[in-house]
């Protein structure tokens, strides 16, 4: 698992010592995952809790266990070993029908669009334009991607256009930009300009809300998601089918008005 190895045989257990901690999302990969890992050895008939590593005292037994592991790995086709972590699950690594596409148009009811098929709104500048019609005080999700652990949402809260962003589930990693004024009844165009600072992955951005061509609110997003919003959360229009980006609303937070269309424009 992520190049960590272990094998049990006839009462013995041999395993590698993990080079990277589980929460290190972007560790430095080893040059040779086969050779760059320390091995441990345990006699489970005497030490079932694996308290005493006896690899140094039993080099021949360790070699025997390592050989057995490599034979099983060959047999069950687990090669090659690769100890990259989040980088391996980047949606951009998979075949993508949207490659090269910069404009997306969604309509109310579009939902459960996987991250690999959704606009890649990471590490780039983008604009979301929503054409909606509401009654005074109506609220709900316009468009959202990801969720509580990492995600963003453009919505109305008590009639006020709001943009929420979450770098992680920690309170200090959640930001919200909200118009001070609620929408009047009728048709409106809400634009979110997300200006990415550049200079690498996961850098800062500035979010600006425009309502009917006029600036309504803006704010800084100090950290942005570099690789993936979620393994299972999706992009939804008109409601949120996953977890909320923050605790100021409850899912599905279905949009109470009418969404004519939502356009996402990705910038270079």
């Amino acid at each position: 698992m992520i190049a960590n190895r272990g094998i049990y045989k006839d009462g013995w257990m041999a395993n590698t010592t993990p080079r990277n901690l589980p929460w290190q999302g972007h560790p430095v990969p080893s040059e040779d995952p086969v050779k760059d890992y320390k091995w441990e050895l345990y006699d489970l008939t005497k030490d079932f809790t694996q308290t005493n590593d006896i690899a140094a005292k039993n080099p021949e037994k360790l070699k025997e266990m390592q050989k057995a592991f490599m034979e099983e790995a060959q047999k069950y086709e687990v090669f090659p070993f690769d100890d990259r972590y989040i980088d391996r699950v980047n949606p951009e690594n998979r075949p993508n029908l949207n490659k090269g596409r910069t404009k997306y148009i969604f309509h109310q009811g579009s939902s459960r669009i996987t991250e690999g098929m959704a606009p890649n709104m990471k590490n780039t500048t983008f604009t979301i334009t929503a054409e909606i019609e509401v009654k005074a005080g109506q609220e709900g999700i316009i468009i959202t991607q990801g969720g509580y652990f990492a995600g963003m949402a453009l919505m109305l809260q008590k009639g006020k256009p709001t943009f929420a962003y979450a770098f992680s589930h920690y309170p200090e990693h959640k930001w919200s930009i909200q118009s001070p004024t609620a929408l009047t009844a009728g048709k409106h165009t809400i634009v979110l300009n997300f200006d990415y600072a550049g200079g690498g992955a996961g850098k800062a951005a500035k979010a600006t809300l425009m309502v009917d061509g006029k600036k309504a609110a803006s704010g800084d997003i100090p950290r942005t998601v570099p690789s993936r919003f979620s393994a299972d959360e999706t992009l939804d229009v008109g409601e949120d089918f996953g977890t909320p980006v923050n605790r100021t609303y409850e899912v599905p937070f279905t949009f109470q008005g009418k969404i004519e269309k939502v356009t996402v424009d990705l910038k270079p």
Side-chain angles (χ1 to χ4, degrees):
M1 181 175 292
I2 317 176
N4 297 314
R5 280 145 277 163
I7 186 167
Y8 169 86
K9 182 181 179 183
D10 299 331
W12 290 86
M13 177 75 187
N15 58 269
T16 57
T17 306
R19 293 179 72 252
N20 304 303
L21 298 173
W23 51 86
Q24 289 180 288
H26 298 276
V28 177
S30 58
E31 293 184 5
D32 187 345
V34 175
K35 298 179 180 178
D36 292 349
Y37 281 67
K38 178 181 176 294
W39 279 81
E40 304 169 11
L41 179 68
Y42 301 95
D43 181 353
L44 300 187
T45 64
K46 301 175 183 178
D47 178 24
F48 70 91
T49 61
Q50 296 177 243
T51 303
N52 301 307
D53 177 9
I54 56 175
K57 297 179 181 179
N58 298 269
E60 293 304 316
K61 188 64 179 180
L62 179 60
K63 288 181 181 179
E64 175 190 328
M65 297 293 286
Q66 289 172 321
K67 182 175 181 292
F69 178 90
M70 295 300 283
E71 289 173 349
E72 293 297 301
Q74 186 72 44
K75 179 179 177 181
Y76 292 104
E77 300 179 350
V78 302
F79 296 112
F81 298 136
D82 187 343
D83 57 3
R84 291 175 298 160
Y85 184 35
I86 289 179
D87 303 304
R88 291 186 62 188
V89 298
N90 188 335
E92 296 301 302
N93 292 338
R94 276 104 177 127
N96 191 330
L97 296 176
N98 294 324
K99 190 171 184 179
R101 186 176 177 185
T102 60
K103 185 174 183 177
Y104 299 74
I105 297 176
F106 299 103
H107 298 277
Q108 194 162 4
S110 300
S111 61
R112 301 299 293 169
I113 299 172
T114 60
E115 190 158 344
M117 292 305 300
N120 184 9
M121 294 181 280
K122 300 180 290 290
N123 310 312
T124 192
T125 292
F126 62 86
T127 297
I128 298 176
T129 303
E131 299 175 25
I132 63 174
E133 184 174 2
V134 295
K135 296 178 181 179
Q138 286 187 323
E139 57 183 1
I141 290 289
I142 296 173
I143 185 171
T144 183
Q145 185 174 22
Y148 192 72
F149 298 93
M152 60 183 174
L154 179 63
M155 56 189 161
L156 297 185
Q157 292 188 306
K158 296 182 179 179
K160 297 179 179 180
T162 305
F163 178 68
Y165 194 96
F167 175 77
S168 78
H169 60 292
Y170 290 110
E172 64 268 27
H173 288 162
K174 294 184 180 294
W175 302 278
S176 186
I177 296 96
Q178 186 176 68
S179 170
T181 306
L183 298 179
T184 58
K187 293 185 177 183
H188 297 277
T189 299
I190 299 172
V191 176
L192 169 74
N193 292 318
F194 193 89
D195 296 311
Y196 187 65
K203 303 301 182 181
K206 178 178 284 292
T208 303
L209 280 171
M210 306 287 293
V211 178
D212 299 327
K214 297 180 180 179
K215 181 178 177 180
S218 66
D220 294 324
I221 310 294
R223 299 180 69 181
T224 60
V225 176
S227 296
R228 192 179 185 102
F229 285 113
S230 172
D232 55 357
E233 299 254 21
T234 53
L235 183 144
D236 307 310
V237 177
E239 56 189 319
D240 190 338
F241 280 90
T243 58
V245 174
N246 58 38
R247 298 298 190 192
T248 63
Y249 67 96
E250 295 183 358
V251 296
F253 203 41
T254 303
F255 193 75
Q256 296 172 334
K258 181 179 180 181
I259 300 173
E260 292 290 346
K261 66 177 180 179
V262 180
T263 304
V264 178
D265 285 296
L266 304 179
K267 309 300 181 182

